Amino acid sequence: MAERLVSRHLQQAGVSGEQLALLSLIATVEPITPTALAAEMGVPLTTLVDALRRLEGRGELERSPNPADQRSHLITLSAEGRTRLEEVEPPLRQAAAELGAELRLDERDVDQALEDLHRALRSASSYETRSN
């Protein structure tokens, strides 16, 4: 249900939830290799490479040589990618406001709950990776 609510708002900015997650994470951890990004997201590298190609096709990513390993490259957001993230912010805030109104919570409380959820998911994903 939350995905449908957010997706409805993301359509206004022309971004899918997958694209938003990827753009947001890259903006947070850039520069990063595709392999490290796949590990950070908890997805197979082959899945990530396809998503990166789509973003690159939209002009939202830049690749540069990796000075630490000439066999790989580093990914950063392009100016177009940063603009896309800025365009997504108002629709996301609207979705959070709608959700907050239904929950009768302040927007800051919704933001904190989402941060807590993200932290828990990262921790659980990390645990799952270590267990395998």
Side-chain angles (χ1 to χ4, degrees):
M1 287 185 284
E3 183 179 350
R4 284 195 304 269
L5 171 67
V6 172
S7 291
R8 182 168 41 92
H9 288 281
L10 289 178
Q11 285 176 349
Q12 297 171 15
V15 176
S16 71
E18 173 191 86
Q19 291 167 337
L20 173 62
L22 192 49
L23 288 170
S24 297
L25 183 57
I26 292 169
T28 303
V29 298
E30 68 183 354
I32 189 168
T33 65
T35 302
L37 187 59
E40 182 73 20
M41 294 186 74
V43 299
L45 181 59
T46 54
T47 301
L48 179 68
V49 168
D50 289 340
L52 291 175
R53 281 190 190 125
R54 286 190 295 277
L55 291 178
E56 190 171 26
R58 293 171 58 143
E60 296 172 350
L61 295 182
E62 294 178 352
R63 294 177 189 255
S64 60
N66 182 351
D69 181 355
Q70 296 301 314
R71 297 169 296 167
S72 70
H73 57 275
L74 297 172
I75 297 169
T76 58
L77 291 186
S78 66
E80 291 87 357
R82 293 185 197 293
T83 298
R84 178 69 64 179
L85 277 179
E86 290 171 10
E87 292 171 350
V88 170
E89 190 172 331
L92 281 179
R93 292 214 175 275
Q94 179 62 36
E98 287 179 21
L99 183 59
E102 292 298 322
L103 292 172
R104 295 178 181 91
L105 294 175
D106 184 90
E107 185 176 335
R108 287 172 291 175
D109 293 334
V110 173
D111 288 343
Q112 183 62 53
L114 291 172
E115 285 180 32
D116 291 346
L117 177 60
H118 182 253
R119 189 174 21 263
L121 288 168
R122 286 189 63 183
S123 178
S125 294
S126 175
Y127 176 78
E128 180 179 302
T129 303
R130 289 189 309 261
S131 296
N132 291 333

